[in-house]
Amino acid sequence: MTKRASQGFQFSVDNDDRTVPHSRCSESCLPGYTKATQEGSPVCCYDCRLCAEGTISTQEDADHCARCPDVQYANINRDRCVPKVITFLSFEEKLGLILSSSALTLSLTTALVFGIFVKYRETPVVRANNRDLTYILLVSLLLSFLSSLLFIGQPNKVTCLLQQTLFSTIFSVAVSSVLAKTITVVVAFMATKPGNRWRKWLGKSLANSIIVACSSLQLVICVVWLGTSPPFPESDKHSQAGHIVLQCNEGSVAMFYVALGYMGFLAAICFTVAFLARRLPGAFNEAKLITFSLLVFCSVWVSFVPTYLSTKGKYMVAVQIFSMLASSCGLLGCIFLPKCYIIVLRPHLNVKVHIKIKDGN
C-alpha cells in the first residue's frame, strides 16, 4: 500500500510474489496420503485418503501414490518402501524343526521295526504274510519318511525336481505293496479249497507283478510330468504381503493332481479288497489291520486337498509334509505295531499252531 499526495491512498500488488495462499477449508495431506477432490466443492477443498496397499507418497499434498517395487512393500504409514522378508520353511524355525524331528524319529522307528522283522524272519508271524512284501513295504515307508526332508530348506532346482516325483513314486510302491499283501491273503484263502485254480497263483510272482505294474504306471506319469512341465523353484512376491516366498512351482498343477489321484485310486482299491477280506479266517490275517490303516491313509489325503488349497506359502509345504508323515505313520502303526507286540512281548503266541491259512511263503 502506497500513499500519493494527489490521489490519497492506493493499493498495489507485488507481481513478484507468486506464493499460492493456503486453503482455509482443508488441512494439508501428510505423507502417506493423497488428495481427493470433494465433489461440488472448490478445488482448494479436498479429502486426504490413505494410499492403497503397496503404494506410498513421500510429500505433503501428493496428487497420487507411487507403487513400491516388487521386492519392497509399503510400511504401515504408507510413506516409505521397505524390503520384503525372504521366507521359506527352514530347518531352523520351530515348524521346520518339529517336522524334521518327527520325520527322523519315524524313520528310526521304521528301521527298528525292520530290524525286528529281519531278526525274527523265520517265525510264523513274519512268514505268514510274505516276508518279501513286508520288507518292501517297510523300506518304502522308511523312504517316504526321509523324502519329506526334501520339502524343508531353501528350494533349488534339484530338490524341486525330486520332491513330488519321489513322493508320488515311493507312496505308490507302498500302497502297491499293501494291495499285494491284501490280494495274497485272499488268494491264499481261496487256494485252501480242494481243486481250486487259485493255487497256481500262490507265490512271489503274483505279489511282485502287482507291485511292478502299479508302480510302473505312476513312474510313467512322473516321467511325462518331468518331460512336459517339470517343477522349478520360484519367488512368489505377491501372495503374502511383506514377504517373498521361496517355493517350488509344480510346473503342471494338472500332473500333480493326476499323480495324487492315481495314488488315491490305488488306495481305494486296496481298501475295498481289504474290507471285503476282513472276515477271512486266520490268526495272522492282515486284512483287518490293512483296512484300518487304509482308512487312516485315505482320511489324511482326503482332508489334504482342501487344506492344501486354503493355505499359502511355506504352510502349504508344511501341510504336505504333515500328510506324508501322518499317512505313512498310519500304515506303519496299524499294520506292524500289533505284530511287533506279539513278536517282542507275547512270543508264546508266535507259534505255527495259530496259523489257519498260509500265503505260500
Side-chain angles (χ1 to χ4, degrees), residues 212-229:
V212 171
C214 295
S215 302
S216 297
L217 185 53
Q218 183 70 288
L219 189 60
V220 169
I221 293 174
C222 291
V223 170
V224 173
W225 186 0
L226 293 177
T228 56
S229 184

Side-chain angles (χ1 to χ4, degrees), residues 38-64:
Q38 297 177 354
E39 186 175 355
S41 300
V43 293
C44 61
C45 297
Y46 47 80
D47 294 323
C48 295
R49 294 181 182 177
L50 184 67
C51 290
E53 184 176 353
T55 61
I56 64 166
S57 64
T58 58
Q59 52 186 317
E60 293 185 352
D61 292 335
D63 293 322
H64 63 276

